Amino acid sequence: MYNIGIDLGGTNIKVGLVDENYNIIAKATAKTDLPRPAEEICKSIVELVWKALNEARVTIGEVKSIGIGTPGVANRNSGIVLYSCNLDFNNTDLRSLIKTQLDKPIYVENDANAAAFGEVLAGAGKGCKDVVVVTLGTGVGGGIIIGGKIYTGFNFCGAELGHTVIEYGGRQCSCGRKGCFEAYSSATALINMTKEAMEAHKDSKMWEIANGELSNVDGKTAFDGMRADDPAAKDVVNMYIEYLGCGLTNIINTFQPEVLLIGGGICKEGENLTRPLAEIIKRESYCIDPEKSTKLDICKLGNDAGIIGAAFLYTIADSN
């Protein structure tokens, strides 16, 4: 038997047919093409499901369940997306919209939570029951797995780790608060810090790396400057890692997970990122027994995490 995992994003819809060993045996992708009604988005999802099935030469009768990871607040019990600003969903009954076209058990979960679950099933968190996943992208996403199950709080709004404050009254965050973890540790925050440093240091090698244009600055610019022995770039990287280390240590002190995983494009820096972060965490985290301290690691599944996690939501949910 197989399961279908759907990663519904603001830019792309990705559908995967997944076997019982967590292998994706067929994929189908299309643009989300926003804005458009939920009914049209669901029609595209169904078309992609059939496309993946046909590619793998698998019948719908061989499919056990369908799981969907969606942006926003998803009520996993009802299958209703309570709110998603990216998709303009508001109390949208995603489960029913799909079920009228594909009569299978359907499970709905927040996309970051589904991706975290995927990492626990088949990625860097495999074999662990208590894992926190932090994704460093446009914002800072969070997924919390406790006892092998996704934690969302009583109102399905939990795990907004990016909107915990690490500097009171600090940088303005898009959520309305000031000093949020996201405002200092997202890829967006790193880019902003890099641009500020370049403006302050017109002789920085980062200008050459960015071909003289601030618009070319990305999450790699400061790290590339650091490798070129540029003092301003080194300061940016050190400051970014200190802020990131502060937020990650707060998470460890709150949850004490077996593994804390970080993901996102910045993690391609590998040990340039994890080595100093591990030193900060070791120095600042509250841990009585060093042999039972949280392990820091990088997510392994990349874009497949959401598909795999969604495909196996049925294992931790009530039947529907």
Side-chain angles (χ1 to χ4, degrees):
M1 295 294 286
Y2 302 91
N3 294 282
I4 290 172
I6 299 164
D7 186 356
L8 173 57
T11 303
N12 296 303
I13 304 169
K14 292 172 283 191
V15 172
L17 183 65
V18 187
D19 69 18
E20 293 183 347
N21 295 314
Y22 312 121
N23 298 308
I24 300 176
I25 64 169
K27 279 185 186 179
T29 306
K31 294 293 183 182
T32 313
D33 196 22
L34 298 175
R36 56 179 177 146
E39 290 79 6
E40 290 187 16
I41 293 173
C42 290
K43 182 180 178 181
S44 294
I45 289 173
V46 172
E47 289 172 354
L48 291 172
V49 167
W50 285 114
K51 186 176 179 180
L53 288 171
N54 291 334
E55 180 184 324
R57 296 182 180 179
V58 170
T59 68
I60 192 68
E62 296 173 87
V63 172
K64 184 185 297 182
S65 73
I66 297 171
I68 306 170
T70 174
V73 180
N75 183 329
R76 66 164 69 120
N77 297 330
S78 67
I80 293 174
V81 181
L82 303 176
Y83 176 69
S84 175
C85 58
N86 290 344
L87 301 174
D88 197 26
F89 285 177
N90 195 341
N91 287 316
T92 300
D93 194 344
L94 196 58
R95 176 186 292 165
S96 294
L97 287 171
I98 299 293
K99 201 172 180 67
T100 56
Q101 302 174 74
L102 294 168
D103 190 18
K104 290 288 177 179
I106 294 170
Y107 304 87
V108 180
E109 183 58 83
N110 168 269
D111 54 354
N113 293 338
F117 189 49
E119 285 289 342
V120 169
L121 292 174
K126 189 173 181 178
C128 299
K129 295 290 187 182
D130 298 291
V131 178
V132 177
V133 178
V134 176
T135 305
L136 309 170
T138 303
V140 172
I144 302 168
I145 309 297
I146 298 176
K149 294 191 175 184
I150 297 169
Y151 175 79
T152 60
F154 82 100
N155 58 0
F156 309 103
C157 294
E160 288 293 344
L161 302 175
H163 299 297
T164 57
V165 169
I166 62 172
E167 183 164 323
Y168 184 74
R171 291 174 181 260
Q172 183 67 54
C173 182
S174 60
C175 75
R177 299 185 81 188
K178 291 185 176 181
C180 284
F181 184 28
E182 178 171 299
Y184 291 87
S185 299
S186 62
T188 304
L190 175 57
I191 290 168
N192 290 338
M193 290 178 195
T194 303
K195 289 179 178 178
E196 289 169 6
M198 290 169 63
E199 291 277 33
H201 301 276
K202 295 296 185 180
D203 60 342
S204 169
K205 293 179 182 177
M206 290 187 288
W207 283 103
E208 182 180 345
I209 292 166
N211 293 319
E213 297 289 340
L214 288 177
S215 59
N216 292 329
V217 172
D218 59 21
K220 273 183 88 262
T221 304
F223 281 94
D224 286 343
M226 175 193 71
R227 282 185 280 271
D229 203 30
D230 180 69
K234 288 180 180 179
D235 288 344
V236 171
V237 170
N238 290 337
M239 178 171 60
Y240 175 76
I241 288 175
E242 285 289 337
Y243 280 126
L244 180 56
C246 173
L248 295 180
T249 302
N250 288 345
I251 292 168
I252 289 172
N253 287 348
T254 303
F255 296 101
Q256 293 294 343
E258 295 169 77
V259 180
L260 174 60
L261 301 177
I262 53 175
I266 293 169
C267 293
K268 291 178 182 178
E269 291 296 332
E271 288 193 354
N272 286 329
L273 187 66
T274 58
R275 191 188 305 114
L277 281 174
E279 291 175 1
I280 294 169
I281 290 169
K282 183 179 180 180
R283 181 179 74 231
E284 298 189 5
S285 64
Y286 186 86
C287 181
I288 297 173
D289 184 354
E291 293 185 2
K292 293 184 178 179
S293 59
T294 297
K295 177 186 176 184
L296 177 69
D297 205 348
I298 292 174
C299 294
K300 292 181 178 177
L301 299 179
N303 293 330
D304 289 343
I307 291 174
I308 294 171
F312 286 86
L313 289 173
Y314 80 94
T315 64
I316 54 172
D318 296 330
S319 60
N320 55 81

